[in-house]
C-alpha cells in the first residue's frame, strides 16, 4: 500500500509539472500573438494617419500672421488653398508695428 501511494504521488507530480509546462508555453504563445496584433494595430494607425494627411493636404486654411515689421509686404495666398482672398481695402491698412495688449 505504501508503494502505491508513493507511485500515485509521483505520477501526480509528473502530471502537474507537465501541465505547468503546457500553461507556460500557452502563455508564451498568447503573448506572441498579442505582440503581433499590437504591431499590426500600430501599423494600421500609421497608415490611417498618412491617408488622412494626404486627404487634408489641399484643404489647409490660410491664417493671419503677425510679421512684426513696419511696412511688411503681404504674401499672396498659395494656390490650392481654401482661404479667403484679401479684400482690396485690406492692402491699404498699415501692417506690422507694435501690438498693444492690455489685460
Amino acid at each position: 500500500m505504501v508503494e502505491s501511494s508513493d507511485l500515485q504521488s509521483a505520477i501526480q507530480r509528473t502530471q502537474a509539472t507537465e501541465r505547468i509546462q503546457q500553461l507556460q508555453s500557452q502563455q508564451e504563445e498568447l503573448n506572441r500573438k498579442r505582440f503581433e496584433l499590437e504591431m499590426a494595430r500600430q501599423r494600421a494607425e500609421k497608415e490611417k494617419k498618412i491617408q488622412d494627411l494626404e486627404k487634408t493636404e489641399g484643404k489647409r486654411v490660410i491664417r493671419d500672421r503677425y510679421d512684426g515689421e513696419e511696412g511688411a509686404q503681404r504674401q499672396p495666398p498659395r494656390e490650392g488653398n481654401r482661404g479667403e482672398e484679401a479684400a482690396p481695402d485690406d492692402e491699404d491698412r498699415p501692417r506690422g508695428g507694435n501690438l498693444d495688449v492690455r489685460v
Side-chain angles (χ1 to χ4, degrees), residues 33-89:
K33 287 181 179 180
R34 183 181 300 131
F35 175 77
E36 289 175 357
L37 288 172
E38 182 67 24
M39 295 302 293
R41 183 183 64 81
Q42 288 177 359
R43 272 187 254 115
E45 286 177 355
K46 285 181 183 179
E47 290 174 5
K48 185 174 181 349
K49 284 181 184 179
I50 290 171
Q51 289 174 354
D52 290 346
L53 181 65
E54 289 172 354
K55 288 179 184 177
T56 60
E57 189 70 25
K59 297 180 181 178
R60 295 198 177 191
V61 177
I62 298 176
R63 299 185 185 238
D64 292 337
R65 287 197 327 240
Y66 174 71
D67 293 330
E69 298 178 14
E70 288 290 328
Q73 295 180 354
R74 183 183 190 98
Q75 293 181 353
R78 291 182 284 172
E79 293 182 19
N81 289 339
R82 304 176 107 201
E84 294 183 13
E85 295 291 327
D89 61 335

Side-chain angles (χ1 to χ4, degrees), residues 85-100:
E85 295 291 327
D89 61 335
D90 202 24
E91 294 175 4
D92 296 335
R93 285 190 299 167
R95 296 190 36 101
N98 296 329
L99 180 64
D100 187 17

Side-chain angles (χ1 to χ4, degrees), residues 4-39:
S4 67
S5 67
D6 289 341
L7 186 57
Q8 284 180 344
S9 64
I11 291 172
Q12 288 175 350
R13 280 191 300 252
T14 304
Q15 289 174 344
T17 304
E18 290 173 356
R19 181 72 177 138
I20 289 172
Q21 289 173 348
Q22 287 175 348
L23 289 173
Q24 286 174 343
S25 64
Q26 186 180 30
Q27 186 65 35
E28 289 174 4
E29 181 70 16
L30 290 173
N31 287 339
R32 183 186 65 78
K33 287 181 179 180
R34 183 181 300 131
F35 175 77
E36 289 175 357
L37 288 172
E38 182 67 24
M39 295 302 293

